[in-house]
Amino acid sequence: MARILIVGGGYIGLYAARHLERRLPTGAHELVMVSPENHMTYQPFLPEVASGLIDPRAVVVPLRSALRRTRLILGEVERIDAESRTARIHLSDGRRREEPFDVAVIGAGSWSRTLPIPGLAEHAVGFKTLPEAIWLRNRVLAQLDTASEAEDVEERRTALGFVFVGAGFAGIEAIGELEDFARAALAAYPPGMASEMRWVVVEATDRILPELDPTLATYAADRLLERGIQIRTDTRLVSIEDGTVRLSDGSSIAAATVVWTAGVRPSPLASASGLPVDDHGRVRVDRTLRVEGIDGLWAAGDVAAVPDPHAPSGYSPPTAQHALRQARTLAENVAALLDGRPPRPFRYRNKGMLCSLGHYRGVADPLGVPIRGFPAWFLHRTYHLVYMPTVGRKVRIALDWTVALLFPRDIAQLGSLEHPRDAFRRSAGS
Amino acid sequence: MARILIVGGGYIGLYAARHLERRLPTGAHELVMVSPENHMTYQPFLPEVASGLIDPRAVVVPLRSALRRTRLILGEVERIDAESRTARIHLSDGRRREEPFDVAVIGAGSWSRTLPIPGLAEHAVGFKTLPEAIWLRNRVLAQLDTASEAEDVEERRTALGFVFVGAGFAGIEAIGELEDFARAALAAYPPGMASEMRWVVVEATDRILPELDPTLATYAADRLLERGIQIRTDTRLVSIEDGTVRLSDGSSIAAATVVWTAGVRPSPLASASGLPVDDHGRVRVDRTLRVEGIDGLWAAGDVAAVPDPHAPSGYSPPTAQHALRQARTLAENVAALLDGRPPRPFRYRNKGMLCSLGHYRGVADPLGVPIRGFPAWFLHRTYHLVYMPTVGRKVRIALDWTVALLFPRDIAQLGSLEHPRDAFRRSAGS
């Protein structure tokens, strides 16, 4: 009987565990998952959570509900010792524990990739997690509130300035949805604020959406420009200080809100554990997703450099569609080896990219065919709805969309979620 | 042209402002509301938000959407100076400002009424606000997670102990919904935890639900006892320390979670402003809702002692149904006086009480007729749905109920909402 430790509860962890539960005979092996959260977040819908179109609960999958015979430990794996076959876990309650394993599946994912820019850690926020998406929604509304009562024009313009750094998928989808949301919310605010609102996306390379064909990227840029969103290519963020965002072209923008969407880096777990890593810090695996040179260790997703002869870079790109298929191959190979069968290489042909621009527009290249506008936006929604786990969630999201079509946007600002106990402490006089 | 200042954005503030917008000629007078939040919370549904049956966004009404020509200032009125007709406002951004007015409508509401009990402020939480309801839901799930990985039986029992102090409507509805939720969530956890879970309601008087007829209260107590919920009447909370809750009968309960539902006290605004108050700190008003002896000042809701010859106590009880009607009378009287007409006294006959016990059971006495079980539960839902403002919210809640009937409970734990920026700060290495 083997003890299989699954590190991380994201795409790789959840789907590998589900496939293993199906493929391994009941009771034959022990499945243990370590995840910092008790749920998996379906990231493609984060922009729509941020803009309030979807109930936040509908885009998370509770791991305990999704898994039948995997034990869940809430915490984070800090180090994997390949020699002694143990993992050191930092539990959510603060304690540490060593957990032994026979097989480890590493799906530790990625973190925001930041640069040492003055003010970044203090003033910016990422856009990778559900709390960040909800925070950003409340932040936009709080800034509209601040602007509506501002005492001078400078204060008002700073409140109404929003800068997104990084014009890949994450940045473009986030600014597209949130600008649309803010524009709609303004209807309930004193008139005159719309002309002072400023949305800017800053990109270090020479164009937005480098993942896509230039024609589609140009179409996307034109749609955003039409809506008044500014695009600054060949420009880097220099510093953020007290409401002023300085850029590498010498200009500065008055903006109280900065969102960092300039890419991700792999979880530091592989490096910290002394596993073989590439220049980006990704753990090296062979085509069967086995960690190079170490038996019983497997890895996939953003944390791993998965060889892919079809990809331009030679490696599988860090998208949800690839992670889903890697998780499946990984689980099949783990099961095969336990069963004495040989593992098979990971094979998957990119089915194309989908990018929503908000406001019923999008760009996509399914199977290499470029499409844009409403059809691309609609395909984006439909595709992700189909891949959303569980029927209950699909229904809830479809209903949310229907309600959103029929009724005005919801503009309640729930920033006080961050301080749930303040009201009572104040009542109790402490 | 009069400047009408509305203090508070709860039932009184929102409904008084809406009635004033309808009754006063456009442009004739200026309406300004001061509220700490940009939304009003529909409190009767807080237990169902806590148990995850309803989307939190569906139970809040964004004030800016609900009001057409009332200016909203986010902040709190600290003091009203009746002599100089100014209010000192503590704005949400930390600044203070004096706001002049001709007429003031005081709907500052209530706070949790606490007692100087050791450990209360540090360890307990109230159940009056949306953030508290959401916190409690995440807390219950976090405690189940803790218990599932606890290293000894004492730690597990403490994690699974939940004490509610105060067995009025708020306490009974909260424990009824949350116990039901926790019981359902346990299905996804390792077996054996159900028998160690402990839900206790502590009440200083000799019975639960003092607002209701004793027969109905006994029925309610029996339903809760059947479900394993313990009821300790004639008992007070003595202290909370490190997972141990001590009671006045000398016993103690191992419980990490304590919810304080032992009533409310009026906002301290009236006392702080030197207005005439009664023994409970409620501002004294005459039957037309005018503050006694002060022209141009009006008050209603939990902050005011509203004379009511029909009520047993001689004063209007602090319920939502009374607040709604008081707000209407108050607005009519303000409009009448501005128009040179005489004000009219507040008259409203209590239509009865509705209390949900969770799990499809309730007790109620509509128009004095006692009903119980499923019909009372159903009436509770229907009544509050009818009174929920805006069609969009009604639809959303009805859809949430439908989804909840058809699909399993959602057990994602979103406690990280309290720390939205931690992930990014950590990535940025600060």
Side-chain angles (χ1 to χ4, degrees), chain A residues 38-39 52 57 64-65 71 74 76 95 97 122 124 145 149 155 189 265 413 421 426-427, chain B residues 38-39 52 57 64 71 74 76 95 97 122 124 145 149 155 189 265 411 413 421 426-427:
Chain A
N38 84 351
H39 56 270
R57 293 173 306 159
R64 290 188 199 277
S65 307
R71 179 176 145 217
L74 288 186
E76 196 167 2
R95 289 180 295 195
R97 186 202 289 174
E122 297 80 0
D145 285 331
E149 287 293 318
E155 188 187 335
Y189 283 80
R265 64 186 163 103
Q413 203 263 93
R421 305 185 60 202
R426 189 176 163 195
S427 296
Chain B
N38 84 351
H39 57 271
R57 293 173 307 160
R64 290 188 199 276
R71 179 176 145 216
L74 288 186
E76 196 167 1
R95 290 181 295 196
R97 187 201 290 174
E122 297 81 0
D145 285 331
E149 287 294 318
E155 188 187 336
Y189 283 80
R265 64 185 163 103
I411 59 165
Q413 202 263 94
R421 305 185 60 202
R426 189 176 162 195
S427 296

Side-chain angles (χ1 to χ4, degrees), chain A residues 97-375:
Chain A
R97 186 202 289 174
E98 297 283 335
E99 197 74 30
F101 63 84
D102 300 298
V103 175
V105 174
I106 306 175
S110 57
W111 296 16
S112 287
R113 182 188 61 212
T114 58
L115 296 168
I117 292 170
L120 186 66
E122 297 80 0
H123 302 297
V125 69
F127 196 74
K128 266 184 72 64
T129 69
L130 185 66
E132 285 171 341
I134 293 174
W135 183 87
L136 208 48
R137 172 174 191 280
N138 289 324
R139 172 73 173 192
V140 168
L141 292 168
Q143 293 305 104
L144 299 185
D145 285 331
T146 300
S148 73
E149 287 293 318
E151 289 180 352
D152 59 53
V153 64
E154 200 192 336
E155 188 187 335
R156 191 158 58 241
R157 304 197 91 197
T158 304
L160 294 176
F162 301 89
V163 175
F164 287 64
V165 184
F169 268 72
I172 294 299
E173 291 204 332
I175 201 170
E177 275 293 336
L178 280 161
E179 190 271 347
D180 191 31
F181 166 61
R183 192 74 54 189
L186 275 181
Y189 283 80
M193 282 165 56
S195 62
E196 297 191 274
M197 200 163 69
R198 209 166 177 198
W199 292 77
V200 184
V201 58
V202 175
E203 166 62 40
T205 72
D206 65 351
R207 70 171 175 105
I208 70 166
L209 296 174
E211 303 91 335
L212 276 181
D213 177 82
T215 325
L216 287 176
T218 305
Y219 169 85
D222 288 346
R223 293 295 78 68
L224 298 179
L225 291 168
E226 268 175 17
R227 284 161 54 186
I229 295 172
Q230 298 177 26
I231 300 174
R232 306 277 189 93
T233 48
D234 290 316
T235 308
R236 280 167 296 104
L237 175 65
V238 170
S239 72
I240 312 171
E241 55 194 88
D242 205 27
T244 301
V245 177
R246 291 188 198 287
L247 303 179
S248 58
D249 60 4
S251 69
S252 65
I253 302 169
T257 307
V258 180
V259 185
W260 182 264
T261 49
V264 297
R265 64 186 163 103
S267 147
L269 173 63
S271 323
S273 304
L275 303 179
V277 293
D278 72 356
D279 293 347
H280 302 286
R282 297 180 298 186
V283 60
R284 290 181 178 283
V285 297
D286 64 23
R287 291 194 59 197
T288 69
L289 303 171
R290 239 188 316 197
V291 174
E292 277 186 6
I294 307 180
D295 273 350
L297 247 56
W298 304 77
D302 289 2
V303 78
V306 178
D308 180 350
H310 297 297
S313 67
Y315 293 98
S316 214
T319 76
Q321 56 174 318
H322 288 84
L324 288 181
R325 274 69 175 205
Q326 288 171 9
R328 184 192 184 119
T329 301
L330 191 157
E332 284 168 354
N333 286 346
V334 167
L337 245 74
L338 287 170
D339 204 28
R341 289 176 286 115
R344 289 185 310 178
F346 171 65
R347 273 182 225 280
Y348 175 67
R349 192 65 76 94
N350 196 339
K351 296 285 186 294
M353 307 290 263
L354 295 162
C355 178
S356 166
L357 304 171
H359 209 76
Y360 313 109
R361 292 288 175 275
V363 284
D365 57 359
L367 307 173
V369 182
I371 61 171
R372 56 201 210 178
F374 183 81

Side-chain angles (χ1 to χ4, degrees), chain A residues 37-39 52-57 60 62 64-65 68 71-74 76 93 95 97 111-112 114 120-126 129-132 134-135 137 141 145 148-149 151 155 187-190 260 265 391-393 395-396 399-400 403 407 409-414 416-421 423-428 430, chain B residues 37-39 52-57 60 62 64-65 68 71-74 76 93 95 97 111-112 114 120-126 129-132 134-135 137 141 145 148-149 151 155 187-190 260 265 391-393 395-396 399-400 403 407 409-414 416-421 423-428 430:
Chain A
E37 302 280 0
N38 84 351
H39 56 270
L53 289 176
I54 300 182
D55 178 356
R57 293 173 306 159
V60 295
R64 290 188 199 277
S65 307
R68 280 294 134 215
R71 179 176 145 217
L72 179 65
I73 299 177
L74 288 186
E76 196 167 2
D93 64 12
R95 289 180 295 195
R97 186 202 289 174
W111 296 16
S112 287
T114 58
L120 186 66
E122 297 80 0
H123 302 297
V125 69
T129 69
L130 185 66
E132 285 171 341
I134 293 174
W135 183 87
R137 172 174 191 280
L141 292 168
D145 285 331
S148 73
E149 287 293 318
E151 289 180 352
E155 188 187 335
Y189 283 80
W260 182 264
R265 64 186 163 103
V391 179
R393 277 181 183 72
V395 169
R396 195 181 284 277
L399 289 175
D400 276 353
V403 170
F407 299 101
R409 293 254 194 174
D410 192 321
I411 59 165
Q413 203 263 93
L414 301 176
S416 52
L417 291 185
E418 289 169 45
H419 315 287
R421 305 185 60 202
F424 186 72
R425 288 217 182 93
R426 189 176 163 195
S427 296
S430 79
Chain B
E37 302 279 359
N38 84 351
H39 57 271
L53 288 176
I54 300 181
D55 178 356
R57 293 173 307 160
V60 296
R64 290 188 199 276
S65 307
R68 280 293 134 216
R71 179 176 145 216
L72 179 65
I73 299 177
L74 288 186
E76 196 167 1
D93 64 11
R95 290 181 295 196
R97 187 201 290 174
W111 296 16
S112 287
T114 58
L120 185 67
E122 297 81 0
H123 301 298
V125 68
T129 69
L130 185 66
E132 285 171 341
I134 293 174
W135 182 88
R137 172 173 191 280
L141 292 168
D145 285 331
S148 74
E149 287 294 318
E151 288 180 353
E155 188 187 336
Y189 283 80
W260 182 265
R265 64 185 163 103
V391 179
R393 277 180 184 73
V395 169
R396 196 182 283 276
L399 289 175
D400 276 352
V403 170
F407 299 101
R409 293 255 193 173
D410 192 322
I411 59 165
Q413 202 263 94
L414 301 176
S416 53
L417 291 185
E418 289 168 44
H419 315 287
R421 305 185 60 202
F424 186 72
R425 288 216 181 94
R426 189 176 162 195
S427 296
S430 80

Side-chain angles (χ1 to χ4, degrees), chain B residues 30-330:
Chain B
E30 194 184 348
L31 290 165
V32 180
M33 175 186 285
V34 182
S35 165
E37 302 279 359
N38 84 351
H39 57 271
M40 177 262 204
T41 305
Y42 194 72
Q43 291 176 336
F45 281 135
L46 284 187
E48 298 202 32
V49 169
S51 71
L53 288 176
I54 300 181
D55 178 356
R57 293 173 307 160
V59 304
V60 296
V61 181
L63 295 171
R64 290 188 199 276
S65 307
L67 300 172
R68 280 293 134 216
R69 51 198 182 89
T70 301
R71 179 176 145 216
L72 179 65
I73 299 177
L74 288 186
E76 196 167 1
V77 174
E78 292 181 324
R79 193 170 186 287
I80 291 171
D81 188 331
E83 286 282 298
S84 69
R85 305 266 141 175
T86 54
R88 190 175 67 221
I89 303 175
H90 188 176
L91 298 170
S92 293
D93 64 11
R95 290 181 295 196
R96 285 187 164 76
R97 187 201 290 174
E98 297 283 334
E99 197 75 30
F101 62 83
D102 301 299
V103 175
V105 174
I106 306 174
S110 57
W111 296 16
S112 287
R113 182 188 61 211
T114 58
L115 296 168
I117 292 171
L120 185 67
E122 297 81 0
H123 301 298
V125 68
F127 196 74
K128 266 184 73 64
T129 69
L130 185 66
E132 285 171 341
I134 293 174
W135 182 88
L136 207 48
R137 172 173 191 280
N138 289 324
R139 172 72 174 192
V140 168
L141 292 168
Q143 293 305 104
L144 299 185
D145 285 331
T146 300
S148 74
E149 287 294 318
E151 288 180 353
D152 58 53
V153 64
E154 200 192 337
E155 188 187 336
R156 191 158 58 241
R157 304 197 92 197
T158 304
L160 294 176
F162 301 90
V163 175
F164 286 64
V165 184
F169 268 73
I172 293 300
E173 292 204 332
I175 201 170
E177 275 292 336
L178 280 161
E179 190 272 347
D180 191 31
F181 166 61
R183 193 73 56 188
L186 275 181
Y189 283 80
M193 282 165 55
S195 62
E196 297 191 273
M197 200 164 70
R198 209 166 178 198
W199 292 77
V200 183
V201 58
V202 175
E203 166 62 40
T205 72
D206 64 351
R207 70 171 176 106
I208 70 166
L209 296 174
E211 304 91 335
L212 276 181
D213 177 82
T215 324
L216 287 176
T218 304
Y219 170 85
D222 288 346
R223 293 294 80 67
L224 298 179
L225 291 169
E226 268 175 17
R227 284 161 55 187
I229 296 173
Q230 298 177 26
I231 300 174
R232 306 276 189 95
T233 49
D234 290 317
T235 307
R236 279 167 296 104
L237 175 65
V238 170
S239 72
I240 312 171
E241 55 194 87
D242 205 26
T244 301
V245 177
R246 291 190 197 286
L247 303 179
S248 58
D249 60 4
S251 69
S252 66
I253 302 169
T257 308
V258 180
V259 185
W260 182 265
T261 49
V264 298
R265 64 185 163 103
S267 148
L269 173 63
S271 324
S273 304
L275 303 179
V277 293
D278 72 356
D279 293 346
H280 301 286
R282 296 180 298 186
V283 59
R284 290 181 178 283
V285 297
D286 64 22
R287 290 196 58 198
T288 69
L289 303 171
R290 239 188 314 197
V291 175
E292 277 186 6
I294 307 180
D295 273 351
L297 247 57
W298 304 77
D302 288 2
V303 78
V306 178
D308 180 349
H310 297 297
S313 67
Y315 293 98
S316 214
T319 76
Q321 56 174 318
H322 288 84
L324 289 180
R325 274 69 175 205
Q326 288 171 9
R328 185 194 184 117
T329 301
L330 191 157

